[in-house]
């Protein structure tokens, strides 16, 4: 449980740090949740639903794929294949721009390395903290959809 909570804080902290840098570069602007925000994606950003989705994804893409492939093709290939499959599985969610798959791929490589070093609880926490801070709390658009933030 400590690994999960600690890595949830790390994942959320990473998004906050990225947001701070983007705000300093005037690439994002934080404002209170307003009437122009669309609620169409609010169900998938419900924190309980999000936890279930993240746990399922991490079990599948890290525990199953990396765990199965590592003894067969080696650790680097297993993490790389897992990252590629994770990225391709998220393409149907919508690609906002060229950075969307790059972000997914880089996050997935990081998640694979966290899984290998710290285990399933840690990588689930990282992913959950990242998504929780990015969508419900800060309100970044969910895969090109409307703003889904509950607070900002």
């Amino acid at each position: 449980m400590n690994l999960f909570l600690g890595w949830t804080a790390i994942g959320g902290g990473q998004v906050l740090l990225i947001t701070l840098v983007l705000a300093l570069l005037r690439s994002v602007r934080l404002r209170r949740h307003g009437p122009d925000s669309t609620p169409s994606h609010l169900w998938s950003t419900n924190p309980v639903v999000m936890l279930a989705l993240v746990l399922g994804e991490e079990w599948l893409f890290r525990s199953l794929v990396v765990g199965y492939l590592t003894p067969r093709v080696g650790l680097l290939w297993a993490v790389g294949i897992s990252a590629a499959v994770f990225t391709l599985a998220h393409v149907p969610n919508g690609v906002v721009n060229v950075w969307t798959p790059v972000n997914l791929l880089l996050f997935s490589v990081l998640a694979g390395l966290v899984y290998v070093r710290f285990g399933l609880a840690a990588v689930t926490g990282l992913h959950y903290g990242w998504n929780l801070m990015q969508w419900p709390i800060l309100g970044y658009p969910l895969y090109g959809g409307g703003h889904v933030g509950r607070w900002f």
Side-chain angles (χ1 to χ4, degrees):
M1 186 62 151
N2 287 340
L3 271 176
F4 173 78
L5 293 176
W7 280 94
T8 298
I10 290 170
Q14 288 176 332
V15 173
L16 280 176
L17 182 61
I18 290 166
T19 300
L20 176 63
V21 170
L22 290 174
L24 291 172
L25 294 173
R26 299 182 186 263
S27 296
V28 298
R29 180 173 50 103
L30 291 179
R31 61 184 168 90
R32 290 290 297 154
H33 178 68
D36 62 331
S37 299
T38 54
S40 60
H41 295 292
L42 285 179
W43 73 270
S44 63
T45 59
N46 174 297
V48 175
V49 172
M50 184 182 289
L51 180 58
L53 291 171
V54 164
L55 184 56
E57 285 186 353
E58 292 308 324
W59 177 81
L60 175 65
F61 294 111
R62 257 51 88 177
S63 187
L64 190 64
V65 173
V66 174
Y68 176 79
L69 289 178
T70 297
R72 289 160 178 79
V73 298
L75 180 60
L76 290 177
W77 277 102
V79 169
I81 292 168
S82 170
V85 172
F86 179 87
T87 301
L88 290 173
H90 283 76
V91 168
N93 292 343
V95 176
V96 178
N97 57 42
V98 69
W99 295 110
T100 304
V102 171
N103 175 47
L104 286 165
L105 188 62
L106 290 175
F107 176 83
S108 189
V109 169
L110 172 65
L113 297 174
V114 168
Y115 169 74
V116 167
R117 176 67 174 91
F118 298 100
L120 186 60
V123 73
T124 301
L126 173 73
H127 193 164
Y128 184 64
W130 182 280
N131 286 0
L132 191 67
M133 185 60 68
Q134 182 175 300
W135 294 322
I137 296 175
L138 293 178
Y140 280 91
L142 180 62
Y143 294 110
H147 300 282
V148 295
R150 288 171 167 74
W151 297 287
F152 294 99

